[in-house]
């Protein structure tokens, strides 16, 4: 096995590299969402964590977005008043944002068959450890033919984290595990998925899976090197990434998996 590439021993340089790659990931996520969104203005439920640019994109496309945020400081509506948000006709030009103070992992506050599309970015469904229950709720609130775009942590990332933590016994048990949960250093627990598991889970919940793709195929070192040399390469790198992720559909690569599914 080849030795890992060390870009720099400088902490400042390392932080700068992290920022560059985070910017790349954000651009890839935005491009994937842009290609996925309905062409016509629709009512979209957004359960995403820390994805303000995604909300901005949906609004710019003319969609009405109901965004669930447990820590919302000033929600437009909350509690029983949520019923007034569903059924809002999407404007012909320019979107509308409705912020709801609610747990995005539990959407029992929303009526059946009330939204056209649902976006769950930022790993929110990896934080929802009982993902199957959340998917049942997601199917319930989607109208027939409604679409779901979700992003979860990949098993590749989970295995890497277990190895970094020196959890060799747990790592050996992964092939036999039904569910893989990995704690972080701060005690936060995330659920990790492989493509076949995610496909089966969506099918069992009543969805027709359109595709499951890695968020990224390009290595972080490759992206950082290119952007260090020339920041204007971002657009071409994102385009390359989108093509690679389509060609590697169904594979466990990178830290996260992205899936598109339709309520049957």
């Amino acid at each position: 096995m080849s030795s890992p590439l060390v870009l720099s021993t400088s902490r400042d340089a390392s932080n700068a590299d992290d920022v560059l790659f985070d910017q790349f990931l954000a651009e890839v996520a935005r491009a994937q969402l842009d290609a996925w969104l309905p062409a016509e203005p629709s009512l979209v439920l957004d359960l995403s964590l820390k994805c303000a640019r995604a909300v901005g994109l949906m609004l710019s496309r003319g969609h009405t977005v109901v965004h669930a945020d447990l820590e919302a400081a000033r929600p437009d509506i909350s509690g029983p008043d949520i019923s007034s948000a569903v059924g809002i006709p999407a404007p012909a030009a320019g979107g509308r944002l409705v912020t709801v103070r609610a747990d995005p992992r539990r959407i029992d506050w929303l009526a059946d068959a009330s939204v056209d599309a649902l976006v769950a970015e930022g790993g929110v469904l990896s934080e929802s450890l009982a993902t199957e229950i959340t998917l049942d709720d997601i199917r319930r609130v989607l109208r027939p033919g409604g679409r779901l775009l979700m992003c979860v942590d990949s098993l590749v990332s989970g295995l890497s984290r277990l190895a970094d933590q020196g959890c060799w016994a747990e790592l050996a048990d992964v092939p036999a595990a039904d569910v893989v949960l990995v704690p972080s250093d701060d005690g936060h627990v995330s659920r990790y998925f492989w493509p076949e598991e995610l496909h089966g889970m969506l099918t069992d919940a009543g969805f027709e899976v359109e595709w499951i793709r890695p968020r990224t195929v390009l290595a972080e070192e490759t992206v950082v090197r290119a952007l260090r040399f020339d920041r204007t390469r971002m657009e071409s790198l994102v385009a390359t990434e989108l093509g690679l992720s389509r060609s590697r559909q169904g594979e466990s690569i990178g830290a996260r998996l992205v899936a598109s599914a339709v309520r049957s």
Side-chain angles (χ1 to χ4, degrees):
M1 182 179 297
S2 61
S3 301
L5 174 66
V6 178
L7 296 178
S8 174
T9 57
S10 166
R11 176 176 297 181
D12 290 341
S14 177
N15 290 341
D17 290 347
D18 289 343
V19 170
L20 282 177
F21 192 66
D22 286 346
Q23 290 173 346
F24 170 74
L25 290 176
E27 290 298 328
V28 170
R30 189 180 190 279
Q32 288 173 332
L33 175 62
D34 193 31
W36 178 89
L37 282 170
E40 296 298 322
S42 306
L43 182 60
V44 182
L45 176 61
D46 178 56
L47 306 179
S48 307
L49 299 175
K50 301 177 181 178
C51 294
R53 292 187 74 233
V55 173
L57 172 62
M58 290 185 274
L59 294 175
S60 72
R61 291 278 299 270
H63 301 295
T64 296
V65 181
V66 178
H67 175 67
D69 184 352
L70 192 57
E71 300 178 355
R74 297 181 60 188
D76 296 318
I77 55 177
S78 62
D81 293 333
I82 183 63
S83 60
S84 65
V86 299
I88 296 173
R96 177 182 175 186
L97 175 63
V98 180
T99 303
V100 183
R101 184 181 290 132
D103 189 342
R105 297 163 297 184
R106 294 180 56 86
I107 48 177
D108 51 1
W109 40 269
L110 197 56
D112 295 358
S114 54
V115 298
D116 302 309
L118 190 148
V119 177
E121 271 284 357
V124 63
L125 294 185
S126 280
E127 293 197 4
S128 176
L129 303 186
T131 313
E132 293 86 351
I133 296 175
T134 306
L135 284 176
D136 287 341
D137 251 352
I138 288 174
R139 183 186 185 279
R140 179 184 62 78
V141 303
L142 278 171
R143 293 170 181 151
R147 298 176 72 213
L148 162 67
L149 181 71
M150 62 183 291
C151 177
V152 295
D153 293 332
S154 167
L155 187 61
V156 170
S157 177
L159 295 176
S160 176
R161 177 163 289 185
L162 285 172
D164 288 342
Q165 294 174 351
C167 300
W168 308 116
E170 291 83 353
L171 198 57
D173 288 339
V174 165
D178 293 326
V179 175
V180 178
L181 304 176
V182 181
S184 61
D185 295 336
D186 61 5
H188 179 80
V189 178
S190 294
R191 183 169 175 177
Y192 293 80
F193 300 85
W194 56 93
E196 296 81 5
E197 176 191 14
L198 190 56
H199 190 288
M201 190 179 302
L202 285 164
T203 302
D204 290 346
F207 288 92
E208 179 183 342
V209 179
E210 294 183 307
W211 46 259
I212 298 175
R213 299 170 182 165
R215 164 117 307 157
T216 55
V217 177
L218 291 172
E220 180 174 351
E221 293 86 352
T222 301
V223 172
V224 169
R225 276 186 169 184
L227 292 177
R228 267 192 192 171
F229 181 76
D230 184 358
R231 300 293 180 91
T232 65
R233 290 185 176 181
M234 179 70 80
E235 185 175 348
S236 62
L237 282 169
V238 170
T240 299
E241 184 61 82
L242 295 179
L244 287 172
S245 65
R246 285 192 294 268
S247 68
R248 307 296 291 272
Q249 195 162 297
E251 296 186 32
S252 249
I253 304 172
R256 285 188 167 172
L257 298 173
V258 186
S260 175
V262 180
R263 178 191 163 173
S264 56

